[in-house]
Amino acid sequence: MKRAGPALFSGEMDFCREVLNRLHQKREVRNSKETEMKTVITNTLDGRDILVDGNRIAALGTPAMIRSMAGPDARILDVQKSMALPGFNDSHMHLRMTGQMLTGCRLDTAGSITEIQSILRSCHEPFVHGMGWDQENLLEKRMPERRDLDAVNPDIPIVCERYCTHILTANTAAMKLAGVWREDGIFQEAACEPLLEALDSQAARHIQAGVDHCLARGLTTVQIADLKTGNWRKLLPLYRDASQRIRIHHQVNITDPKEMEDFLREARLYETDTHTFGPFKGFADGSLGGRTAWLGREYADEPGNCGEPCMAEEEMETFVEACDRLNRPVIFHAIGDAAIRQVLAVYRRHPGMKQGILHLQITDEAILQDLERLQTDCMVQPVFWRSDRNIVEQRVGTRMARTSYAFGWMASHARVSLGTDCPIEDCDPLENIRWAVSMPGGLSEKQALTAYTEGSAWAMGRSRDLGKLAPGYLADIVFVRDGTVTGVMVNGQMTE
C-alpha cells in the first residue's frame, strides 16, 4: 500500500480546520442575532414606516403602528423622504472582473489606438491590465494588436481585454509569460485564460473593490459568474468573506460532470445565507460585437461568417443531463439565434428543470414562442442597447433586427430578470432601468423594477424570501431620492 505523504495529511488538516472555523462562524452568527435590535425605518417617501427585526422585515404601516410594535429600544433610521425599494439584484455580472476594471486601466473611453497607448503608459503596475476597448469606437476601426502594445513597453506584460471580455490583445512579454504565441497577439474565448492567470494574486483586492462599487450603485445581491474550472478552490474563501457585505449567488462555469460533483461537495463548506450557489453555466456562443455569436445566417457585414458554437449539441446534452441528475439549475450564455435554438432544443428534452438563458439578444418569432411555452428564465441586459443599437442591423440585417432585443415581449410572456454583465456595462440599476424603458419594445417602469427585484429573486430560487418589501422577507432595501441612491441595507444592516 502506498503511504500517504505530508501533502495529503496537510490537506486533511486544512479541511478539518476549515470545518471547525465554519462551526465557530455559525455560533457567532447565532449569538449576534440573539442580541440584534429592532430597526424602524421612518420618513419614507410614501409615508409608511418599516420595522426590521434582525435580518427580516417584520411589518410595514403607519408610523404610530410601527413605533408601538418596535418598543422603546428600537433604533430609528430616518431616510429623509427617500423612496424605499426592494434591494436591486443583478441577475448576471462578474464581481472580480468589475474590481479589475476599477483598479486597472480603463480603456472604454479611448477613441483611438494612440489613446489606448497613452492610457497604458500611465499605468505603472508590474502586469498592466487594460479593459473596455471597442474597435467600433476607435478611429482606426480595428482591434489593437501585439505591435501596438509592444510600442508601449515590450518588456512588461500587457493584456488588454475588449469590453465583451471574449477577446483580448497581448504584447510579446505577456505571451512569453503565459507560454503562448500569436503573431497579432489577439486571442478569443478560452484561449484568453492563460494570459489572465497572472492576475490571481490580486483577487481579494479586486473582489472587495467590486463589492464597494456594487453597494454604491444600490445593489444588495449580485449573481456572479466568476467561479470556473481552475479557480474555484482558490476563490471560494474570498467570496465567502465578501458576502458579509453583499449577498452573493454563484453561477458556476463548470461543465465536466465529475468536477461538478466535486464542486458541490466542497462548496457546501462555504455556503451561508448570504453566500449561495445556483446554476451551472455553459457557453453556447461568443459575442455580437466580436462576430462570434452564432447566427442562423451569415453576418450581414461579414459574408461567410456565421459565428461559432461553443459546444456541440451532444456535449450540451451531457452537461444538462448532469445538472438534471444532480438536481441543479442550468443556464447558458446564448446571444445568436442559432445558439438560442440549440439551447432550447436541449431544454425541451429535460422538462421540469429550472432552466435559464443569458443575454437572448438575437431572436425570431419562433424563439420567442418557445421561451413563452417553456417559461425559460430570460436573464437579459437592456443597457446593452446603448452600444448594440449602433451595430445590430449591420450585423444581422433589418429583418432579424426587428425581432431582436425583444425584452419587453419577454417581460410580458416569460420570466425576466435584469442584469448588466458588469463590467461589460456598468452595474447601475437605475441606468439599466432607463434603457429598459426607453429601448424599442421595452419594458414599462413597473415591469423593469419587478424584473430587477422579484424577477432576479426568482432566477436564483429565492422568491419566497427575497425581492419584496413584505413581512417575513429579508431586509435587503435600497433608498433612492431624486434618482440617486442614498442608502443600502443588506440583511438588516446599513452598509457604509
Side-chain angles (χ1 to χ4, degrees):
M1 179 183 293
K2 186 175 180 180
R3 297 184 64 182
L8 177 59
F9 286 121
S10 174
E12 290 176 344
M13 290 299 294
D14 288 344
F15 182 82
C16 291
R17 277 195 294 268
E18 189 62 41
V19 170
L20 291 172
N21 183 45
R22 282 288 292 117
L23 291 173
H24 178 65
Q25 285 184 341
K26 285 184 177 180
R27 285 196 297 270
E28 286 183 340
V29 169
R30 186 161 56 245
N31 291 338
S32 67
K33 286 185 177 179
E34 290 172 357
T35 59
E36 280 174 350
M37 296 173 60
K38 294 179 180 178
T39 301
V40 173
I41 300 170
T42 190
N43 201 16
T44 64
L45 184 63
D46 67 3
R48 292 187 305 172
D49 278 12
I50 304 170
L51 176 61
V52 174
D53 190 353
N55 67 342
R56 292 189 181 266
I57 296 170
L60 298 90
T62 64
M65 182 188 83
I66 295 301
R67 295 294 177 95
S68 67
M69 295 175 64
D73 297 328
R75 292 174 296 191
I76 306 299
L77 176 62
D78 185 339
V79 297
Q80 300 177 350
K81 296 298 180 184
S82 291
M83 183 186 303
L85 299 169
F88 292 121
N89 182 338
D90 194 304
S91 67
H92 178 67
M93 64 169 296
H94 307 269
L95 188 60
R96 180 187 177 193
M97 202 180 298
T98 297
Q100 289 173 345
M101 169 74 88
L102 293 167
T103 58
C105 294
R106 297 192 61 169
L107 305 179
D108 50 315
T109 60
S112 68
I113 289 174
T114 299
E115 285 186 35
I116 288 177
Q117 291 171 323
S118 177
I119 294 168
L120 295 174
R121 286 191 182 99
S122 69
C123 185
H124 303 292
E125 298 290 326
F127 187 114
V128 177
H129 182 216
M131 297 183 71
W133 60 266
D134 180 359
Q135 75 274 17
E136 302 296 335
N137 296 332
L138 301 180
L139 178 66
E140 298 84 355
K141 297 297 180 185
R142 67 171 177 86
M143 298 184 185
E145 299 179 358
R146 172 188 59 84
R147 57 189 170 89
D148 301 313
L149 304 191
D150 280 349
V152 174
N153 194 318
D155 303 317
I156 293 176
I158 303 175
V159 168
C160 294
E161 294 185 74
R162 190 178 184 273
Y163 81 94
C164 67
T165 73
H166 290 259
I167 299 173
L168 63 75
T169 304
N171 73 343
T172 299
M175 287 189 281
K176 285 182 178 178
L177 182 65
V180 295
W181 176 260
R182 288 187 182 172
E183 182 61 31
D184 61 4
I186 298 174
F187 295 78
Q188 296 186 9
E189 307 299 344
C192 300
E193 294 302 321
L195 291 147
L196 298 173
E197 289 178 358
L199 296 168
D200 285 352
S201 63
Q202 299 297 311
R205 180 168 70 98
H206 294 151
I207 291 169
Q208 293 300 335
V211 171
D212 289 341
H213 187 68
C214 290
L215 290 172
R217 290 291 190 253
L219 290 166
T220 59
T221 301
V222 289
Q223 300 180 46
I224 64 172
D226 293 9
L227 300 180
K228 59 187 176 183
T229 296
N231 77 4
W232 56 270
R233 285 187 174 92
K234 292 181 290 186
L235 294 181
L236 275 172
L238 303 182
Y239 284 113
R240 183 190 60 192
D241 292 345
S243 72
Q244 295 177 45
R245 301 172 59 211
I246 194 168
R247 203 174 297 277
I248 294 176
H249 186 72
H250 291 282
Q251 301 164 348
V252 184
N253 297 292
I254 300 174
T255 58
D256 175 72
K258 174 61 170 62
E259 189 177 2
M260 291 161 67
E261 292 181 11
D262 292 342
F263 174 83
L264 289 175
R265 184 176 60 254
E266 297 183 37
R268 291 191 185 100
L269 186 64
Y270 297 92
E271 191 163 17
T272 70
D273 183 58
T274 57
H275 187 230
T276 53
F277 303 97
F280 285 107
K281 176 193 170 191
F283 280 86
D285 65 350
S287 70
L288 186 67
R291 298 184 184 86
T292 55
W294 185 25
L295 305 182
R297 305 176 71 175
E298 62 187 13
Y299 277 85
D301 58 352
E302 193 172 300
N305 176 25
C306 295
E308 53 191 72
C310 289
M311 299 177 78
E313 190 162 326
E314 297 78 11
E315 184 183 4
M316 191 177 284
E317 178 73 31
T318 299
F319 169 52
V320 175
E321 282 179 355
C323 292
D324 200 358
R325 176 173 53 82
L326 295 168
N327 195 29
R328 301 305 300 173
V330 59
I331 59 173
F332 277 95
H333 162 120
I335 291 175
D337 60 308
I340 297 168
R341 274 192 289 271
Q342 182 189 47
V343 173
L344 290 172
V346 175
Y347 281 176
R348 278 193 291 270
R349 297 193 287 270
H350 294 271
M353 289 183 69
K354 186 166 179 57
Q355 304 164 336
I357 301 180
L358 293 161
H359 308 314
L360 285 165
Q361 289 157 239
I362 308 304
T363 53
D364 58 22
E365 291 183 3
I367 286 173
L368 296 175
Q369 295 303 319
D370 273 347
L371 292 172
E372 180 179 21
R373 186 161 43 249
L374 295 172
Q375 285 298 291
T376 307
D377 288 345
C378 302
M379 308 165 83
V380 300
Q381 299 76 37
V383 71
F384 279 11
W385 187 247
R386 174 165 48 194
S387 56
D388 288 358
R389 61 185 171 153
N390 300 316
I391 65 168
V392 60
E393 194 167 326
Q394 300 169 25
R395 293 287 193 271
V396 304
T398 303
R399 182 177 178 181
M400 182 64 85
R402 288 197 191 107
T403 56
S404 296
Y405 296 81
F407 302 154
W409 189 95
M410 295 175 197
S412 298
H413 296 85
R415 297 189 180 277
V416 168
S417 60
L418 297 191
T420 57
D421 207 7
C422 190
I424 310 307
E425 295 286 350
D426 187 39
C427 59
D428 183 349
L430 300 178
E431 181 70 4
N432 201 11
I433 287 172
R434 280 191 281 270
W435 282 100
V437 171
S438 64
M439 68 186 298
L443 290 71
S444 69
E445 287 187 5
K446 182 179 179 181
Q447 285 177 323
L449 182 58
T450 300
Y452 236 129
T453 53
E454 295 178 47
S456 292
W458 172 270
M460 62 186 286
R462 295 292 296 267
S463 58
R464 70 191 183 281
D465 64 356
L466 196 65
K468 293 182 180 180
L469 296 185
Y473 276 69
L474 290 162
D476 288 7
I477 307 172
V478 61
F479 304 100
V480 178
R481 185 173 62 248
D482 298 328
T484 301
V485 173
T486 58
V488 176
M489 175 178 281
V490 179
N491 216 32
Q493 299 295 319
M494 292 299 294
T495 64
E496 295 181 0

